[in-house]
Amino acid sequence: MDSVNKTVEPEAEGETLLQGLPASPGICIGKAYLVHQGGVTVVKKYFIHESKLEAEKNRFKTAVKKSSDELRQIIRDTPEEFQEHADILKTHVMLLNDKMLYNKSIDTIESDRVNAEWALRKVVSHLKPVFMNMSDGYFRDRWYDIANVSDRIMRNLSGEAPVDIRNIDKRVILVAQDLSPAETSQIHLERVKGFVTDLGGIASHTGIIARSLQIPAVLGLETATRRIKNDDLLIVDGFKGQVLINPTEENLIRYEEQRGRFEIRIARMSRGAQAPAETLDGMKIRVMGNIELPEEVVSVRDHGGDGIGLYRTEFQYMSGNRFPTEFELYDKYRDVVEVMAPKPVVIRTLDINGDKAVSYTLQSEEANPAMGLRAIRYCLKKPEIFKTQLRAILRAAVHGNVRLLIPMISSYEEVLATKQIFRETADALESDGIPCNRNIDIGIMVEVPSTVILADIIAREVDFFSIGTNDLIQYSMAIDRQNRQVAHLFDPLHPAILRMVKRVSDVAKETGIGLAMCGEMAGQPINIPILLGLGIEEMSMNPRSIPLIKQSIRALSVQETRDFIGEALAQSTAADVRRVLEAAYGCKLSDNCYTE
Ligand code: PEP
Ligand code: MG
């Protein structure tokens, strides 16, 4: 769910409470280690004599060159499993020489006759509102890349040595203005307990990596580097997105206990992770993992996933600066499919644009990107790009158990057009004699209300439905997934959502096609009685939720959930649904929560 827990308990005397964004769950307690103090904060302005302007410009160029050398070195040192993130750094290297930053700074030194630091600061402060006012969250987040790059130049101009995360030799909590993907990838898990940053959104690259490293992280704290000093004692609460600075004895004990309980629970759940998720009355439910990056396949396997229920392939496109080639795609898909075989891997085709814009594909600014040329709409408009991906998927399908999933279908024609392209692609591979497997299931994401309504018609053409509640809620209830202002309305237990899930489930049963849920709704234990009651027998989620959900399933009887579901569907509001759900299942699931 995209909602942000905004509960801030009053801070006790002597301690300071900061509220940010809960980027990665868990609790850690430890000493603060400042990676950098919010960049170079004090920038002095001084004028440069005309005769020295050339030298000043050269000083700037040398700092840029040094920054570029540093980045290239980090890229070279980035371990294989973080190569995707090294691609982001390659973008940073390019940004260093971008006209709007590089040329503008040099022009400003010349025109204003000022020192390089001042010129850079002026240019960056003009760029900030341009990015921050962009309606598209992806582009807004690109501001952090610019801030990151300009901080590096500034540090090199001032001669301030950057902290090398690799040299940290004690167990600490990192505090940074922002952690670049390179810095994050240098984190040694045995030395870093968690991290907190001033910048970054949950959807930022840093947030994505934090979750894949599985250490507690809170981002977007805004003032962390100003309010936290080296060696301050911190409690990082990655569930609530809170940081306590120099906590009271009472809070230390409380959080230490909470941390201990959480770890015991995780350990207990992990022991049962590989066993099947079988209900009390003997029904086996398939619990699978969602992944963004191919490396996460290992996490799904280790957490006991019955397969990959959603492989969000767009991240491979988002981290580079050009379209990946057929071979690059095939190579990654094949890895995932082989690691998971014989378990299924549901590969979703490119779901770009909307909140996942890819800079090199953007043709024109869209006023409403979420309702724009997103996902299958983009692919149908760019068949050559779509075909490249389909070729890679069809080739990877030779190596294991692959299913194809099409995102954001909103009409019957889109399904027909997609299948036509699929056939043409398979025919072309076969006539070229390239090994491929066209006998794979083709399913669609059900995440647009028109598809729910038309489900019976669309079911004629597909092998399975996968319900994407994240977008289904966004599109049916008119709630922008990215917008914190309306996050409190984003509730999967809304009766309208339950009724839509019921309709899709009924159609799947009547027509005999497969049914799964891969939206975030499936990753929360309290929703499981509802999903079982509505007939969902396959669900996919963030890998670390798999053991938790399996344990929840084992505490339930499907028959009981089916007897209960009528009562839930009859409620008028989400709060009413939650009330009857808590009353019937609160005790059974009380041990299955990430939060206290
Ligand atoms: C969804 O919309 O529920 C979904 C699983 O897809 P994504 O979150 O990638 O849009
Ligand atoms: Mg979606």
Side-chain angles (χ1 to χ4, degrees):
M1 200 163 42
D2 284 337
S3 66
V4 169
N5 188 335
K6 292 216 185 98
T7 325
V8 182
E9 285 120 33
E11 48 190 63
E13 214 182 317
E15 71 181 14
T16 308
L17 176 62
L18 303 181
Q19 177 70 55
L21 301 164
S24 183
I27 287 174
C28 63
I29 301 174
K31 293 267 179 78
Y33 188 101
L34 269 85
V35 177
H36 37 74
Q37 316 265 358
V40 178
T41 40
V42 187
V43 173
K44 291 209 179 98
K45 178 181 183 181
Y46 51 94
F47 289 98
I48 305 287
H49 189 271
E50 204 173 340
S51 62
K52 301 262 169 60
L53 277 178
E54 215 44 49
E56 190 62 11
K57 284 192 268 181
N58 284 338
R59 196 167 73 82
F60 178 77
K61 289 178 190 168
T62 307
V64 172
K65 167 85 175 56
K66 186 148 190 269
S67 306
S68 166
D69 291 346
E70 280 171 9
L71 281 171
R72 286 177 204 278
Q73 184 62 44
I74 300 171
I75 293 169
R76 277 196 293 277
D77 293 348
T78 301
E80 188 54 34
E81 66 267 31
F82 285 110
Q83 273 314 311
E84 300 270 344
H85 309 313
D87 287 344
I88 300 161
L89 293 185
K90 290 177 193 156
T91 319
H92 285 192
V93 174
M94 284 192 307
L95 262 181
L96 280 170
N97 292 303
D98 194 281
K99 273 199 267 194
M100 62 185 176
L101 199 69
Y102 184 86
N103 293 17
K104 273 248 178 242
S105 298
I106 292 193
D107 290 350
T108 307
I109 296 172
E110 176 88 43
S111 60
D112 295 11
R113 296 189 178 181
V114 286
N115 54 320
E117 291 89 340
W118 191 261
L120 176 62
R121 168 135 308 180
K122 182 174 171 187
V123 168
V124 171
S125 65
H126 284 161
L127 284 175
K128 185 171 183 179
V130 177
F131 278 84
M132 290 317 243
N133 290 336
M134 285 186 180
S135 57
D136 189 304
Y138 180 82
F139 281 100
R140 271 198 311 276
D141 278 356
R142 296 293 63 78
W143 157 253
Y144 301 124
D145 292 326
I146 296 190
N148 212 291
V149 160
S150 73
D151 266 1
R152 190 176 285 278
I153 305 175
M154 197 66 95
R155 249 193 337 256
N156 281 322
L157 279 169
S158 71
E160 199 183 279
V163 170
D164 189 339
I165 291 179
R166 287 168 300 187
N167 296 339
I168 295 175
D169 56 1
K170 42 190 179 182
R171 296 263 295 152
V172 289
I173 296 173
L174 299 183
V175 180
Q177 189 188 34
D178 194 11
L179 280 181
S180 71
E183 286 166 325
T184 317
S185 65
Q186 287 165 9
I187 285 178
H188 286 291
L189 289 177
E190 68 280 13
R191 285 185 233 137
V192 174
K193 297 179 172 189
F195 65 85
V196 304
T197 64
D198 290 341
L199 303 177
I202 292 181
S204 67
H205 298 300
T206 309
I208 293 166
I209 300 172
R211 289 189 285 280
S212 65
L213 288 174
Q214 300 189 5
I215 54 174
V218 177
L219 308 185
L221 286 158
E222 289 173 6
T223 56
T225 54
R226 262 180 281 145
R227 304 194 47 186
I228 300 172
K229 294 186 296 303
N230 267 325
D231 290 333
D232 273 349
L233 189 60
L234 301 182
I235 296 175
V236 177
D237 181 343
F239 302 113
K240 293 186 182 161
Q242 293 181 347
V243 176
L244 277 170
I245 311 170
N246 295 324
T248 58
E249 196 60 33
E250 200 187 332
N251 271 333
L252 262 179
I253 294 168
R254 188 163 67 85
Y255 273 97
E256 191 53 63
E257 282 172 4
Q258 191 179 334
R259 197 182 62 81
R261 280 198 300 276
F262 176 64
E263 281 185 1
I264 291 169
R265 213 178 303 152
I266 293 290
R268 202 172 55 215
M269 265 181 302
S270 304
R271 282 201 293 278
Q274 302 300 332
E278 189 171 338
T279 61
L280 293 173
D281 49 352
M283 180 181 282
K284 287 209 175 83
I285 305 295
R286 293 176 299 284
V287 182
M288 303 161 85
N290 293 350
I291 63 168
E292 282 81 39
L293 302 173
E295 304 83 78
E296 290 171 285
V297 66
V298 178
S299 174
V300 174
R301 202 190 48 195
D302 294 350
H303 285 95
D306 296 318
I308 306 287
L310 171 65
Y311 179 1
R312 292 181 164 105
T313 59
E314 50 278 5
F315 284 82
Q316 200 179 343
Y317 291 71
M318 286 161 67
S319 57
N321 50 19
R322 58 161 176 82
F323 284 105
T325 63
E326 177 183 324
F327 182 77
E328 286 166 344
L329 295 171
Y330 163 69
D331 195 39
K332 298 283 185 202
Y333 301 163
R334 179 181 172 164
D335 275 355
V336 173
V337 169
E338 283 184 339
V339 171
M340 227 49 227
K343 294 177 177 166
V345 177
V346 181
I347 306 185
R348 183 176 73 181
T349 58
L350 199 49
D351 183 5
I352 52 165
N353 293 341
D355 61 332
K356 288 178 280 195
V358 173
S359 56
Y360 53 89
T361 66
L362 205 73
Q363 291 175 332
S364 58
E365 185 90 356
E366 294 184 298
N368 292 303
M371 293 194 262
L373 196 61
R374 183 185 160 183
I376 192 61
R377 299 173 180 180
Y378 176 84
C379 289
L380 291 176
K381 211 161 173 193
K382 301 273 179 195
E384 67 294 354
I385 289 163
F386 194 27
K387 282 184 175 171
T388 303
Q389 183 179 36
L390 288 176
R391 284 173 68 93
I393 295 171
L394 282 159
R395 290 175 59 188
V398 171
H399 304 282
N401 183 354
V402 169
R403 299 180 197 158
L404 185 72
L405 178 62
I406 313 298
M408 220 194 154
I409 288 288
S410 59
S411 72
Y412 183 64
E413 302 89 294
E414 281 170 347
V415 179
L416 297 183
T418 302
K419 288 180 72 177
Q420 175 62 26
I421 293 182
F422 177 86
R423 277 191 296 273
E424 286 167 16
T425 310
D427 289 347
L429 280 167
E430 281 174 358
S431 70
D432 290 346
I434 298 173
C436 68
N437 175 12
R438 70 191 302 162
N439 297 316
I440 56 176
D441 281 355
I442 302 183
I444 59 154
M445 294 282 296
V446 179
E447 48 187 352
V448 179
S450 58
T451 297
V452 176
I453 294 165
L454 219 57
D456 52 326
I457 307 283
I458 292 176
R460 294 180 198 149
E461 289 294 331
V462 298
D463 300 303
F464 66 96
F465 288 146
S466 185
I467 305 175
T469 46
N470 311 341
D471 277 315
L472 189 58
I473 296 170
Q474 156 159 277
Y475 293 126
S476 57
M477 291 173 57
I479 300 168
D480 180 351
R481 287 170 70 168
Q482 304 284 103
N483 186 342
R484 288 182 69 166
Q485 307 296 327
V486 287
H488 62 289
L489 300 173
F490 195 101
D491 195 335
L493 293 178
H494 192 287
I497 301 300
L498 304 193
R499 288 172 187 222
M500 282 192 264
V501 174
K502 177 170 180 352
R503 161 148 178 87
V504 178
S505 170
D506 288 348
V507 170
K509 197 189 276 162
E510 278 155 26
T511 56
I513 70 167
L515 175 68
M517 175 175 284
C518 62
E520 295 287 299
M521 182 178 188
Q524 291 175 0
I526 194 64
N527 299 335
I528 301 302
I530 296 273
L531 299 187
L532 294 184
L534 288 173
I536 309 275
E537 292 166 23
E538 179 173 311
M539 41 191 92
S540 190
M541 62 214 58
N542 170 330
R544 66 194 292 175
S545 300
I546 294 173
L548 189 69
I549 296 300
K550 280 188 155 183
Q551 184 174 290
S552 309
I553 291 169
R554 294 188 196 113
L556 300 170
S557 134
V558 176
Q559 194 46 54
E560 246 178 53
T561 62
R562 297 208 171 142
D563 295 341
F564 161 77
I565 199 67
E567 189 185 352
L569 287 165
Q571 302 304 313
S572 319
T573 67
D576 290 339
V577 174
R578 186 161 281 107
R579 188 175 41 74
V580 294
L581 190 54
E582 297 275 355
Y585 290 99
C587 291
K588 289 200 175 96
L589 298 175
S590 62
D591 203 26
N592 294 12
C593 263
Y594 264 162
T595 46
E596 288 298 285

